[in-house]
Structure formats: C-alpha cells, structure tokens
C-alpha cells in the first residue's frame, strides 16, 4: 500500500482521519470531519462537474457527494464501478471548514 501526501511531520497532539482510495492511503485533519456515514440511498445530479457523483439527505441536510479520485487525479478506477463493490464510506466534511456553502461528502474505500 502506498502512502500519499505531503512530507511534513504531524505534531504529537494532531489528530487525523486516515482513509483509503483504492490502494492509496490519505490523511485529513479531524477538525474538518463532521461524521462518517455509510453509502446509502443517493440521488444522481445531472449536468454537474465530473467529480460530483450524487447528493444524499443526511440528518435533514442535503450533502453533495464528491468522488475525490477525480479531483486528486489518481489512477484508481471509479469507486462506484469497482467490480460491484458497494461497500464505501462517506466522510462528511464541514462546509465552513472547507469554505463551501454546504456540507460535502467524500466517497472513500475504507476508514481507519
């Protein structure tokens, strides 16, 4: 498994969420994460950016679901068509923390 990211060292009190996209491992500061959700019923959005997969209602709020493999331009095939595996997690990010209007969910393969 390869590790992708910057080569800086984390401080001892820094907390991160570790997740995978295929075989690649990534970390994200926990302060940006609102919750983890299972990939449940999602609704497709026509005429959106390539990286926007769907939307879902999560706790009464509409959450845009992003496929980060398309933003990060990884070699990983589409997470939604990986041999029928629908076992994905959604990492829900705080909209204010990432400078967006609403919450955003990233589809990831696995969370540690």
């Amino acid at each position: 498994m390869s590790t992708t990211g910057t080569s800086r060292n984390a401080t001892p009190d820094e907390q991160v969420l570790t997740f995978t996209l295929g075989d690649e491992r990534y970390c994200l500061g926990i302060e940006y994460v609102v919750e983890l959700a299972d990939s449940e019923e999602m609704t497709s959005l026509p005429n959106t950016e390539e990286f926007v997969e769907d939307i879902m209602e999560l706790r009464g709020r509409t959450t845009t679901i992003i496929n980060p493999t398309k933003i990060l331009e990884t070699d990983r095939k589409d997470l939604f068509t990986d041999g029928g595996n629908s076992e994905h997690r959604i990492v829900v990010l705080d909209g204010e923390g990432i400078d967006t209007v609403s919450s955003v969910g990233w589809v990831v393969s696995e969370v540690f």
Side-chain angles (χ1 to χ4, degrees), residues 49-68:
E49 298 288 338
E50 178 184 6
F51 56 85
V52 176
E53 292 291 341
D54 296 308
I55 59 170
M56 67 186 291
E57 186 172 329
L58 189 59
R59 304 197 190 287
R61 295 181 60 177
T62 300
T63 303
T64 303
I65 306 302
I66 303 293
N67 185 339

Side-chain angles (χ1 to χ4, degrees), residues 1 11 15 17 24 29-30 34 36 38 40 45 50 76:
M1 181 177 301
T11 61
Q15 295 182 350
L17 174 78
E24 295 184 38
I30 199 77
V34 173
L36 299 175
D38 293 322
E40 297 176 0
L45 280 177
E50 178 184 6
R76 173 74 174 137

Side-chain angles (χ1 to χ4, degrees), residues 10 20 41 50-51 66 69 80 87 100 102:
T20 59
E41 193 170 319
E50 178 184 6
F51 56 85
I66 303 293
T69 62
F80 288 96
E87 298 289 323
T100 63
S102 63

Side-chain angles (χ1 to χ4, degrees), residues 3-53:
T3 302
T4 304
T6 63
S7 60
R8 72 176 183 84
N9 291 325
T11 61
D13 58 343
E14 186 174 20
Q15 295 182 350
V16 296
L17 174 78
T18 304
F19 61 93
T20 59
L21 298 174
D23 294 331
E24 295 184 38
R25 187 174 285 193
Y26 297 84
C27 293
L28 178 66
I30 199 77
E31 68 270 15
Y32 299 109
V33 179
V34 173
E35 70 178 286
L36 299 175
D38 293 322
S39 57
E40 297 176 0
E41 193 170 319
M42 295 187 238
T43 304
S44 296
L45 280 177
N47 304 317
T48 59
E49 298 288 338
E50 178 184 6
F51 56 85
V52 176
E53 292 291 341

